Amino acid sequence: MDAVENATPAAGADMEAKDAADSFTKVKSKKTQKRKREQDGAGMDTEEPVASKRPQFPPISGDKLRGPDEMRKVAVPAHRYTPLKDNWLKIFTPIVENLQLQVRFNLKTRNVEIKTCKETQDIGSLTKAADFVKAFILGFQVEDALALIRLDELFLESFDVTDVKPLKGDHLSRAIGRIAGKGGKTKFTIENVTKTRIVLADTKVHILGSFQNIKMARTAICNLILGSPPSKVYGNIRVVASRTAERF
């Protein structure tokens, strides 16, 4: 009897251990799962690739490509109202006749508003017209600004004298005087050598020209602001201009 009683608790302990083992779920290691995924991927690669057809879209019309009418606004400061009024016909004519755009001056908001219409053919003409008006507002002559409409490789760049060197008072005035020169001689020389147009408006400098020419003019103006004598600047830009002419 004692032997039977001793065997019964041992059997009960084995049954409890088995139930506890069954209650826990076996978690697979990450390495096993990764190896299985790689095997599945290798099996999938052996299958033949399915030939995909290239989608065919019908050609889009010019009206849909143009999209809805767009508008650009160019703000006009108070000191440019009179020049804008005097030269309005010269500004209005190329924008309407050559670029087929609509233009008006909004008296309430003091903005020149340029808008596309049904007759507009080139999408980029709106940007050209906005750059043309902006160049005139910054102080360029209409004839010079008109080159932005006729030529594609022309750009407009503006920077402040104090961006080059933080000057104040008389030092700032002398730097602007060095850029202009006596009677505008230095400015005209830089314009003629680099084939650009330069406008000095207070501490702002605006340059109109091609990318390479703007770079040459900007370097010359920065050297003048930093204190280089004009004679040295003339020599440097003439050397650079002659090298550029030989290269092309």
Side-chain angles (χ1 to χ4, degrees):
M1 289 292 289
D2 292 338
V4 174
E5 288 177 0
N6 292 335
T8 306
D14 292 340
M15 290 293 290
E16 287 177 1
K18 190 175 181 181
D19 292 340
D22 292 340
S23 63
F24 288 106
T25 55
K26 189 177 181 182
V27 180
K28 295 181 180 179
S29 64
K30 292 184 178 179
K31 290 184 179 180
T32 308
Q33 293 177 357
K34 186 177 179 183
R35 196 179 299 116
K36 190 174 181 181
R37 280 200 299 268
E38 289 177 355
Q39 290 175 357
D40 293 342
M44 290 172 67
D45 292 340
T46 55
E47 297 177 2
E48 294 182 0
V50 180
S52 59
K53 291 184 179 180
R54 188 175 179 181
Q56 298 291 333
F57 298 106
I60 191 168
S61 62
D63 296 335
K64 291 182 180 179
L65 185 65
R66 186 170 56 85
D69 292 338
E70 295 183 17
M71 180 185 286
R72 296 283 176 88
K73 296 179 181 180
V74 181
V76 182
H79 69 279
R80 295 300 291 173
Y81 291 161
T82 305
L84 183 69
K85 186 178 178 181
D86 295 339
N87 296 280
W88 180 251
L89 197 62
K90 294 180 182 178
I91 296 170
F92 173 85
T93 306
I95 292 176
V96 174
E97 293 185 359
N98 298 343
L99 300 178
Q100 284 87 35
L101 295 169
Q102 295 176 350
V103 61
R104 72 174 183 178
F105 180 64
N106 194 327
L107 293 170
K108 290 184 179 180
T109 59
R110 300 289 186 179
N111 287 335
V112 176
E113 298 177 351
I114 308 164
K115 187 181 177 184
T116 57
C117 58
K118 292 181 180 180
E119 287 77 20
T120 307
Q121 297 176 353
D122 187 11
I123 301 171
S125 58
L126 187 64
T127 305
K128 285 185 177 181
D131 290 342
F132 166 57
V133 175
K134 185 181 177 184
F136 177 78
I137 297 302
L138 290 175
F140 292 96
Q141 296 292 325
V142 179
E143 292 76 15
D144 296 333
L146 202 60
L148 286 165
I149 292 178
R150 294 177 177 171
L151 303 173
D152 291 332
E153 300 300 322
L154 286 186
F155 304 96
L156 193 62
E157 182 168 333
S158 301
F159 65 93
D160 203 302
V161 174
T162 55
D163 293 341
V164 182
K165 191 177 183 181
L167 300 170
K168 293 180 182 179
D170 292 340
H171 298 288
L172 181 60
S173 302
R174 281 194 290 271
I176 296 170
R178 281 198 299 273
I179 298 171
K182 187 178 180 180
K185 179 185 173 184
T186 305
K187 183 174 82 77
F188 291 142
T189 305
I190 296 173
E191 284 181 345
N192 293 333
V193 173
T194 59
K195 297 177 183 176
T196 56
R197 287 291 176 266
I198 300 169
V199 168
L200 289 173
D202 195 18
T203 60
K204 294 280 186 183
V205 180
H206 310 292
I207 308 173
L208 173 67
S210 64
F211 179 79
Q212 195 69 27
N213 294 343
I214 286 176
K215 185 180 177 182
M216 284 193 291
R218 187 178 62 236
T219 304
I221 292 170
C222 289
N223 289 336
L224 287 169
I225 294 169
L226 293 172
S228 297
S231 57
K232 186 176 181 180
V233 173
Y234 292 161
N236 289 340
I237 58 175
R238 284 200 175 98
V239 168
V240 174
S242 62
R243 286 177 183 172
T244 307
E246 288 174 2
R247 190 182 303 166
F248 290 106

